[in-house]
Amino acid sequence: MSDKFELVSKYLVRKLKEDKNLYVLVADVWECYFFGEHKQYLDEEVLSRLINTGISEANSISVAAGLAQSGKTVVVLGLAAFLTCRAFEQLKLDVCYNNCNVKVIGIHGGVVGPKIAGYSHWAIEDIALMNALPNVSIVDIAPTDCEFYKLMDESFEMCGPVYIRMDCPYMKHVNLDYDVKFGKISKVKSGEKIAIISSGGMLKEAVDCRKKLVKLSLNPSIYSCHTIKPFDKLSINRIIDKNEVIIVFEEHVNGGLSSIIAQSIVKRGKGIKFFPMYIQNEKYNFVAATKENVFKHLYNFDELYKGLGEIQSANKLTGKNFSYKDGTLIIKYKLFNITILKLVERPFSKKGKLSYKVFLFGGIRIL
């Protein structure tokens, strides 16, 4: 059992024992994912409130709404793509319209869910769908313990529908600790002039991006926008006012966090460089077996680093340009627009530090 499966199952078992008013509906993620090893330790009363509703997400949502209408607190647990897309009408009419106290926990939020699954299991439109519905709150939990426990607790304390989105359970948690509050954007790392804002599992990509930019004499800050709805307008306005560049990392197509932040930038009326890193949804003509394959085909990191390199260029005579291709960072130092030094990142790291191949005048290897 992976870390995320263990976290979710133990958390919900504890809640079931503490709250006799809580029901958990599991949409065909029973023995293989959750609770299988816990069932033998649960008494009959607890087991009666832990129900496997099978491969029937729409029905699961309607049953949850009915239980909630009778005064129960209800959790529906399943794959994010099926709980939001397949059961959208039931979420809209049964849960959100009636403001039912239902917590929908979507596992495999984003791309490449189960290792053997393809596009059918991706949840990359779910935030846009849920954001269009009334009454519901949306949280996209990053792979950190501080976000998991704080946001789960606060979501359960709320009375009303909450969509809790979680990344691929096979991803390990990131060792970060920062202040987390439902409805507020969290600062993960301090910096200046450049703000990297991420949601969900893309926090790891944001941290990796910051490491690369620090090597290029840039010092970006990192923020985790875990609460998509209600959106923290006050904090995003402060971030816009303090920075010259905003980068957004999300596992979603157009219509998610990048679109929400873009609206805030326009409303603020400040000229700012904006780099939204979201899934280019016109390019699904490939098979994605790994996260690396998805990033290669569906994210334009080269455009991001090229744009940041142009901003970093010191003046017309000298400058530093960098690009990102197939997971490799390339830095070019220029004089009169002539490359005098090129650094090519090696595909491996030594003792946690990236090393580089160095080329003089783009041809002679000197190191």
Side-chain angles (χ1 to χ4, degrees):
M1 180 177 286
S2 66
D3 292 345
K4 190 65 59 65
F5 289 142
E6 187 71 19
L7 278 173
V8 175
S9 59
K10 284 186 175 180
Y11 184 89
L12 292 179
V13 165
R14 175 168 61 84
K15 285 291 184 181
L16 280 166
K17 292 179 177 179
E18 293 173 352
D19 184 1
K20 293 190 176 183
N21 197 50
L22 175 65
Y23 281 73
V24 176
L25 309 184
V26 186
D28 194 46
V29 284
W30 184 266
E31 298 289 353
C32 58
Y33 289 154
F34 302 98
F35 307 117
E37 65 183 51
H38 296 288
K39 285 199 302 181
Q40 59 180 316
Y41 304 111
L42 302 178
D43 59 38
E44 291 186 5
E45 192 281 328
V46 172
L47 284 173
S48 70
R49 293 183 282 110
L50 177 57
I51 305 169
N52 186 1
T53 50
I55 306 175
S56 180
E57 287 81 9
N59 184 59
S60 301
I61 295 296
S62 292
V63 171
L67 287 168
Q69 292 278 37
S70 66
K72 309 300 183 184
T73 300
V74 190
V75 171
V76 183
L77 179 68
L79 269 66
F82 304 145
L83 285 177
T84 55
C85 296
R86 184 175 295 167
F88 184 73
E89 184 178 10
Q90 286 70 28
L91 285 167
K92 173 184 175 182
L93 299 179
D94 297 347
V95 173
C96 295
Y97 180 79
N98 293 295
N99 199 23
C100 293
N101 193 20
V102 175
K103 319 304 176 187
V104 178
I105 302 178
I107 297 293
H108 296 304
V111 299
V112 191
K115 293 181 180 180
I116 59 173
Y119 174 63
S120 64
H121 285 60
W122 294 8
I124 55 176
E125 308 92 356
D126 55 328
I127 290 175
L129 288 171
M130 297 304 293
N131 197 36
L133 298 180
N135 297 319
V136 64
S137 299
I138 303 170
V139 292
D140 190 7
I141 298 180
T144 61
D145 285 353
C146 60
E147 283 200 18
F148 177 84
Y149 290 108
K150 183 68 173 178
L151 294 173
M152 289 289 282
D153 286 345
E154 294 196 25
S155 295
F156 274 77
E157 290 170 5
M158 296 174 58
C159 185
V162 182
Y163 174 50
I164 303 170
R165 186 193 207 231
M166 295 189 185
D167 61 317
C168 177
Y170 303 110
M171 289 183 63
K172 297 295 183 181
H173 271 210
V174 182
N175 186 23
L176 290 170
D177 189 21
Y178 46 90
D179 291 335
V180 177
K181 185 177 181 180
F182 190 100
K184 297 295 182 182
I185 297 174
S186 296
K187 179 181 282 190
V188 180
K189 296 284 185 180
S190 296
E192 56 184 2
K193 296 185 179 180
I194 299 176
I196 304 174
I197 306 174
S198 71
S199 67
M202 291 299 280
L203 177 61
K204 183 179 184 302
E205 299 305 316
V207 172
D208 290 345
C209 177
R210 185 180 190 272
K211 290 178 181 177
K212 292 181 182 295
L213 296 184
V214 166
K215 293 178 180 296
L216 301 167
S217 303
L218 297 170
N219 183 32
S221 52
I222 298 179
Y223 296 88
S224 176
C225 187
H226 42 70
T227 308
I228 309 295
K229 184 180 180 182
F231 186 65
D232 187 0
K233 297 179 181 179
L234 183 61
S235 292
I236 196 64
N237 285 340
R238 289 173 178 166
I239 293 170
I240 293 169
D241 291 342
K242 285 178 59 178
N243 292 277
E244 300 173 5
V245 180
I246 290 181
I247 305 166
V248 180
F249 284 94
E250 61 174 326
E251 280 190 271
H252 198 273
V253 295
N254 192 18
L257 180 61
S258 295
S259 299
I260 296 170
I261 292 176
Q263 292 179 29
S264 299
I265 293 172
V266 171
K267 289 180 181 178
R268 201 65 177 165
K270 178 188 174 184
I272 193 168
K273 294 287 185 181
F274 183 55
F275 296 96
M277 293 292 105
Y278 59 85
I279 295 171
Q280 304 298 308
N281 59 352
E282 69 273 15
K283 299 179 181 179
Y284 293 158
N285 57 341
F286 75 101
V287 176
T290 64
K291 286 270 187 182
E292 291 75 16
N293 204 20
V294 171
F295 292 147
K296 178 180 177 180
H297 287 268
L298 295 182
Y299 285 91
N300 196 344
F301 288 110
D302 190 46
E303 181 178 324
L304 168 64
Y305 286 100
K306 180 182 177 182
L308 292 173
E310 292 172 354
I311 294 172
Q312 179 69 351
S313 295
N315 53 54
K316 294 181 180 180
L317 295 180
T318 63
K320 182 192 301 183
N321 296 94
F322 41 99
S323 59
Y324 186 91
K325 186 176 182 181
D326 295 338
T328 301
L329 184 66
I330 302 170
I331 313 167
K332 294 180 180 179
Y333 292 84
K334 294 191 173 186
L335 178 63
F336 296 105
N337 206 31
I338 300 174
T339 301
I340 59 172
L341 183 68
K342 183 170 75 169
L343 305 179
V344 180
E345 181 184 86
R346 291 179 183 270
F348 62 88
S349 60
K350 185 177 182 181
K351 295 183 179 179
K353 296 182 179 180
L354 293 170
S355 58
Y356 292 84
K357 295 178 182 178
V358 182
F359 298 87
L360 184 63
F361 291 105
I364 303 173
R365 180 177 175 180
I366 61 173
L367 181 62

